[in-house]
Amino acid sequence: MTNSANSAGRATRESNTRPLNRFEITKRMVAKLTQGEAVIGGIGNTNFDLWCSGQRPENFYMLGSMGLAIPIALGVALAQPSRKVIALEGDGSLLMQLGCLSTVAIRAPRNLIIIVMDNGIYQITGAQQTATAASVDLVAVARACGLAASHWAADEADFDALFDAAQERAAPSLIALRIDDQAAVGQTEREPARIRDQFMRGIGAKGNRPVTQSPSNKI
Amino acid sequence: MDTAVNAEARVRTWHGVLHKVLVANDIRLVTYVPDNVLKPLLADIHGDPFFDAFCVTREEEGLGIISGAWMGGKRGVLLMQTSGFATLPNVLASLCTAFQIPALMIVSERGTLGEFNYGQALVLKTMRPVLDSLALEHHTCTRLDELEFIADRTIKQAVATQAPAALILSPLLTGGKVLKP
Ligand SMILES: Cc1ncc(C[n+]2csc(CCOP(=O)(O)OP(=O)(O)O)c2C)c(N)n1
């Protein structure tokens, strides 16, 4: 356990005792979801492993728009402030859309949790190195953007503690994990319209009121 | 705050009409990357507590945010200029169109009718072909007397058909931006 290191802000990317596994951590996190939390999986492996962890109706599996798991999650969080929303994102994807960390910090939604799966590679396109393998510390970047509750998880128990704290926190949190180079254990069924429809119903944004009451009918 | 007098005065400007149409269609979330021509509309929106409006760092990010908000039950719009639209084809195709999300875009048109920046003029040439190639509904607003009808109907159609749509604000409507001597 290196919680003390985390709370003192001293844990770094390299301080992990060993790389964690994306699928194992995803399953671990999903097992903690009891309040209908929404989960947004990013491109490729993050949403594939989310899919393979069990297809909760509150899960959204993003296909194709690399880098947008956090912005999409922010949108859901703003629309439903009383529901916790979790974004699962890869390091390459976050590096493509770093500006979103500053937007999250400024908006400071109480209900957003960002989980970054950092393998130091663009695993799915052939394992080319990302900048985190060389010099970039995404937790330091997040803190510099103003996301004070940003931490590296040192091991499974540390992840548990950080995630539990994030669930309780009335401010956005970011948890980064150094993970191994494994691909996801399976693949999402790529049916975008169905994924979106099930997600909207899963979080109560559809199917619970008659269409005729839509405000679009008034002007 | 919104009084009857303010509301009356608003409909005499292009930004006032758009403000009114956004309110009437319950579009509360406004994301934008700043643009000079949009300044009065952004000021109107920031001045009305009906809206939750904020600046984003990239247009793609804004489209992601309003897409997430739509799925969560809150309507939004992304405001930008032509060059910002040009950064969006991948997200429009792979997120908004594929997932059938009625992302609403309002674009202030640069690159025509007195443009002074060659880059803006060229990038405008890509905008309508991109919208057409994705078969997305778009309308160019040139006249104040047509604006409310076009904007209102475009929003209603986007929502009803679950398809993204763009309102392009021509310099004929807004005055555009010209080089100051
Ligand atoms: C805009 C865009 N650029 C490039 C790609 C190709 N691409 C798909 S996934 C991916 C790598 C994602 O890397 P990361 O987020 O680190 O996840 P990992 O594969 O390592 O799990 C790339 C480059 C894409 N889909 N979209």
Side-chain angles (χ1 to χ4, degrees), chain A residues 128-158:
Chain A
Q128 303 84 355
Q129 282 200 348
T130 67
T132 67
S135 57
V136 176
D137 181 319
L138 289 172
V139 167
V141 171
R143 287 188 184 164
C145 287
L147 287 170
S150 300
H151 302 283
W152 284 104
D155 53 28
E156 283 88 348
D158 195 25

Side-chain angles (χ1 to χ4, degrees), chain A residues 219, chain B residues 2-21 44 143-148 173:
Chain A
I219 184 169
Chain B
D2 205 17
T3 64
V5 176
N6 284 344
E8 178 61 30
R10 278 207 314 251
V11 297
R12 285 186 239 117
T13 61
W14 65 268
H15 44 96
V17 171
L18 287 176
H19 181 166
K20 177 183 162 192
V21 171
D44 276 6
R143 295 170 54 107
L144 190 59
D145 61 346
E146 295 177 348
L147 182 60
E148 179 169 344
L173 180 75

Side-chain angles (χ1 to χ4, degrees), chain A residues 22 43-46 64-66 89-94 96 117 119-125 128 130 179 182, chain B residues 60 90:
Chain A
R22 185 191 315 100
I43 196 164
N45 288 314
T46 50
S65 47
M66 181 172 168
E89 193 62 298
D91 53 317
S93 297
L94 179 51
M96 184 176 271
M117 302 285 188
N119 50 14
I121 51 176
Y122 299 96
Q123 197 281 335
I124 207 161
T125 49
Q128 303 84 355
T130 67
I179 62 165
Q182 292 303 295
Chain B
E60 290 185 310
N90 178 56

Side-chain angles (χ1 to χ4, degrees), chain A residues 1-217:
Chain A
M1 275 295 279
T2 52
N3 257 331
S4 53
N6 265 317
S7 49
R10 279 183 278 108
T12 65
R13 185 176 186 277
E14 301 312 324
S15 74
N16 284 350
T17 47
R18 62 189 161 78
L20 304 173
N21 178 265
R22 185 191 315 100
F23 182 55
E24 294 305 322
I25 289 291
T26 304
K27 277 191 300 185
R28 213 177 171 88
M29 179 204 75
V30 167
K32 288 174 170 290
L33 305 181
T34 57
Q35 312 290 318
E37 294 88 343
V39 187
I40 313 299
I43 196 164
N45 288 314
T46 50
N47 92 66
F48 293 173
D49 271 341
L50 177 65
W51 172 274
C52 295
S53 73
Q55 288 133 50
R56 298 168 65 250
E58 303 93 340
N59 291 352
F60 180 74
Y61 311 94
M62 193 207 81
L63 307 166
S65 47
M66 181 172 168
L68 291 194
I70 296 168
I72 293 169
L74 174 59
V76 177
L78 294 174
Q80 299 200 359
S82 56
R83 186 189 300 274
K84 283 277 183 192
V85 183
I86 298 150
L88 304 179
E89 193 62 298
D91 53 317
S93 297
L94 179 51
L95 285 164
M96 184 176 271
Q97 200 68 238
L98 278 179
C100 74
L101 294 177
S102 62
T103 308
V104 170
I106 291 165
R107 288 295 317 209
R110 302 159 62 93
N111 55 332
L112 183 64
I113 302 174
I114 298 167
I115 298 183
V116 182
M117 302 285 188
D118 183 358
N119 50 14
I121 51 176
Y122 299 96
Q123 197 281 335
I124 207 161
T125 49
Q128 303 84 355
Q129 282 200 348
T130 67
T132 67
S135 57
V136 176
D137 181 319
L138 289 172
V139 167
V141 171
R143 287 188 184 164
C145 287
L147 287 170
S150 300
H151 302 283
W152 284 104
D155 53 28
E156 283 88 348
D158 195 25
F159 173 77
D160 284 350
L162 288 169
F163 190 78
D164 293 346
Q167 285 272 51
E168 297 302 318
R169 186 173 293 120
S173 310
L174 182 143
I175 304 169
L177 308 107
R178 192 156 69 97
I179 62 165
D180 61 33
D181 62 0
Q182 292 303 295
V185 298
Q187 288 202 12
T188 302
E189 285 175 13
R190 293 179 179 80
E191 291 182 60
R194 186 165 71 94
I195 289 171
R196 196 253 317 133
D197 187 74
Q198 286 187 347
F199 176 63
M200 288 180 74
R201 291 175 197 280
I203 61 171
K206 193 177 177 186
N208 55 1
R209 56 176 180 248
V211 176
T212 49
Q213 285 178 11
S214 157
S216 68
N217 293 325

Side-chain angles (χ1 to χ4, degrees), chain B residues 10-43:
Chain B
R10 278 207 314 251
V11 297
R12 285 186 239 117
T13 61
W14 65 268
H15 44 96
V17 171
L18 287 176
H19 181 166
K20 177 183 162 192
V21 171
L22 293 175
V23 171
N25 284 280
D26 199 35
I27 305 212
R28 292 172 184 270
L29 187 65
V30 180
T31 61
Y32 62 89
V33 176
D35 168 70
N36 231 310
V37 173
L38 292 172
K39 237 174 113 178
L41 178 59
L42 295 173

